[in-house]
Amino acid sequence: MTYGYGKGEIGQLFIEGFGSSMLFGTIFGSLADKWGRKRACVTYCITYILTCITKHSHQYKVLMLGRILGGIATSLLFSAFESWLVAEHNKVKGSYLY
């Protein structure tokens, strides 16, 4: 569904989504280590819920905000969950060594 926008505006929305993922990927990946991986995973869930809510709007600014939030959520998805799993595995594995 185009919501009445042209190809150029739709293209800008897609570019913003990928660009925000590229920009925020480096930032939020390191923040997950600093603030905690579990908290980063919960932040992903909240951010993605907000992203989905913005898709119901027809306002361009709200849709753009949703694409930015979607980029942040994607960055968290591909960094926080896996690092949390690896950290928990190493914690459990380390407790069985002795």
Side-chain angles (χ1 to χ4, degrees), residues 7-69:
K7 286 184 181 182
E9 292 166 318
I10 294 171
Q12 288 175 348
L13 289 170
F14 276 95
I15 290 170
E16 187 64 35
F18 292 122
S20 68
S21 181
M22 178 184 67
L23 176 68
F24 293 117
T26 56
I27 296 168
F28 282 94
S30 62
L31 287 179
D33 292 334
K34 186 176 182 178
W35 290 345
R37 294 170 184 99
K38 183 177 181 179
R39 184 174 289 162
C41 293
V42 171
T43 303
Y44 159 77
C45 294
I46 293 167
T47 307
Y48 198 73
I49 288 169
L50 293 173
T51 300
C52 292
I53 290 171
T54 63
K55 292 183 182 188
H56 294 283
S57 175
H58 292 281
Q59 295 179 347
Y60 189 76
K61 289 182 181 181
V62 175
L63 293 172
M64 187 62 79
L65 175 65
R67 295 304 297 171
I68 293 169
L69 291 173

Side-chain angles (χ1 to χ4, degrees), residues 77-96:
L77 176 65
F78 290 112
S79 61
F81 286 94
E82 186 174 352
S83 63
W84 184 22
L85 175 71
V86 170
E88 289 296 317
H89 171 75
N90 288 337
K91 189 183 339 178
V92 170
K93 181 180 161 187
S95 66
Y96 290 119

